[in-house]
Amino acid sequence: MRVLGIETSCDESAVAVWDGGVRACRTHSQIAMHAVFGGVVPELASREHLRALPGLVDATLTDAGLSPAAIDLVAVTRGPGLLGALLVGVAYAKALALAINRPILGIDHLQAHLMAAFLEREPVFPAVGLLVSGGHTALYRIEDVDRWEILGRTLDDAAGEALDKVAKLLNLPYPGGAYVEVLAQRGKKGRPFLPRPFLDNDHCDFSFSGLKTAAALWIQEQGIQPLGYGKFIPEVVPDVVCQLCAEVNQAVVDTLLEKTRRALRRTPQAQALVLAGGVAANTALRTACAALAKEQGLSFFAPELAYCGDNGAMVAHLGALLGARGYRNDLAFEAIPRGRRIPDDYL
Ligand code: KG4
Ligand code: ZN
């Protein structure tokens, strides 16, 4: 099945063609535009999707050597994400599906991220999935490609958001998660001095806002100055900043790992642990999750680095998996913003 996947939930306009494998995949990143503001400006994101999407779809189809009529199914991210940004992709996808007279499928962005671990191999179920990105942190029990149960989610900030906010306090480039990691690798490992937040309970939900506040207080106490503007040169960053980055990075990894351990305990039938989302590019997190899976006798899967962040391939791929089972949406399906449950309204 040839599937065109469209992703516009946040700050990447992304399109891909899936045909038993990734046939073409293009991303138009808006990072440079939002970097000026130190975070995603939703209205600008929507406008940029609107500007970029038509050309991106044409170029991706050209890469794949296909005309629009050669597409069997249009898959589009319907949520969760920024509502205005989602609406651009969903409206475009509906119009395209109508024009080429092909079915459409609305895709859950978080499920698509997790299934990106299986872009190059058959999925393994049942699995526990840890999804960690700039907008979301969640744990799932995945029984099958169409049977998902949420075990935990963040009650406030996402893990990537916490890293990005600490990075912003230090005036690291945007988005900061990857830069925190670079500095963390230079920082000396010492005794923990930041909290591993929200572990003193018996559930799998997360809360990362306290970690950001604790880091902000520590920055104040230590009299750390934000880095000067200009090029990011890790070698000249003060040791104390690298130490803070190492600690924040470790606190995020420790917390994610403890909750994942709980989710695995509640899923004794699991065969695999799956890690995905933008923060899955983090080496310490990948290594820790792989070790946890090994310790529990499970297989471990995470997407290639190129498919950890938002991309069109993950949308086209999940579209193909669900489409092969006969799932479809009618043209009335809605875009769903962050915080609202995605309805089970497949045809
Ligand atoms: O999945 P994604 O591209 O977008 C969302 O759906 O949010 O994730 C972006 C997030 C950002 O918070 C970014 O700082 C984080 O992923 N990130 C990282 C790394 N690379 C990207 N966080 C930690 N370590 C990294 N290497
Ligand atoms: Zn994402």
Side-chain angles (χ1 to χ4, degrees):
M1 182 184 286
R2 285 191 192 125
V3 182
L4 182 79
I6 298 178
E7 156 63 45
T8 64
S9 68
C10 190
D11 59 349
E12 320 275 8
S13 321
V15 180
V17 174
W18 174 270
D19 184 9
V22 182
R23 183 98 162 245
C25 184
R26 279 190 180 237
T27 303
H28 166 72
S29 174
Q30 305 181 1
I31 282 180
M33 190 178 79
H34 298 292
V36 179
F37 303 94
V40 179
V41 184
E43 175 67 18
L44 292 183
S46 310
R47 291 178 190 211
E48 188 64 7
H49 288 309
L50 194 60
R51 196 187 67 77
L53 203 49
L56 204 57
V57 169
D58 285 351
T60 309
L61 285 170
T62 304
D63 290 349
L66 298 174
S67 68
I71 294 299
D72 299 313
L73 174 79
V74 179
V76 61
T77 298
R78 69 180 300 191
L82 302 171
L83 186 59
L86 289 165
L87 283 170
V88 175
V90 167
Y92 185 97
K94 286 180 178 178
L96 179 66
L98 200 58
I100 62 176
N101 195 24
R102 292 292 185 280
I104 188 165
L105 247 180
I107 296 293
D108 181 321
H109 180 76
L110 308 184
Q111 296 180 356
H113 263 304
L114 282 162
M115 285 299 101
F118 299 115
L119 278 169
E120 277 161 23
R121 53 185 88 83
E122 283 298 305
V124 175
F125 302 119
V128 164
L130 171 63
L131 182 279
V132 206
S133 74
H136 314 275
T137 306
L139 273 162
Y140 289 92
R141 180 179 294 142
I142 316 169
E143 294 286 350
D144 202 343
V145 69
D146 55 356
R147 282 171 58 208
W148 298 70
E149 188 184 336
I150 188 136
L151 298 174
R153 57 159 65 86
T154 184
L155 304 179
D156 42 54
D157 289 357
E161 193 175 352
L163 292 171
D164 293 347
K165 284 179 175 168
V166 173
K168 195 170 174 183
L169 293 172
L170 297 168
N171 203 22
L172 302 183
Y174 167 85
Y179 298 93
V180 169
E181 181 180 22
V182 169
L183 296 181
Q185 284 161 353
R186 301 179 64 82
K188 270 207 285 302
K189 278 232 166 86
R191 283 201 309 153
F193 56 89
L194 293 177
R196 273 53 183 160
F198 209 54
L199 295 182
D200 196 12
N201 50 55
D202 65 353
H203 51 72
C204 296
D205 287 334
F206 302 92
S207 164
F208 284 103
S209 63
L211 177 62
K212 171 194 67 189
T213 309
L217 287 173
W218 197 80
I219 288 171
Q220 238 176 29
E221 278 164 26
Q222 302 291 315
I224 295 174
Q225 296 301 314
L227 303 182
Y229 283 95
K231 200 161 174 260
F232 175 68
I233 308 171
E235 291 75 17
V236 304
V237 173
D239 288 346
V240 66
V241 173
C242 296
Q243 188 194 355
L244 174 65
C245 289
E247 174 63 0
V248 173
N249 202 64
Q250 196 56 47
V252 167
V253 171
D254 289 349
T255 308
L256 291 170
L257 222 69
E258 169 54 26
K259 296 278 173 157
T260 306
R261 197 179 276 282
R262 289 181 195 177
L264 287 171
R265 239 181 265 138
R266 289 170 198 188
T267 313
Q269 70 275 32
Q271 302 288 314
L273 173 61
V274 182
L275 168 69
V279 185
N282 189 282
T283 311
L285 181 58
R286 283 175 98 92
T287 309
C289 286
L292 174 62
K294 190 165 177 211
E295 172 202 305
Q296 306 276 324
L298 304 172
S299 310
F300 173 67
F301 300 98
E304 300 290 322
L305 291 192
Y307 296 114
C308 283
D310 291 347
N311 64 86
M314 67 186 198
V315 180
H317 172 240
L318 183 53
L321 292 174
L322 292 170
R325 303 248 176 132
Y327 287 99
R328 305 283 186 268
N329 280 106
D330 62 24
L331 285 172
F333 79 90
E334 288 179 308
I336 308 293
R338 186 179 160 184
R340 252 180 67 198
R341 212 178 67 80
I342 297 199
D344 187 7
D345 57 3
Y346 292 125
L347 296 181

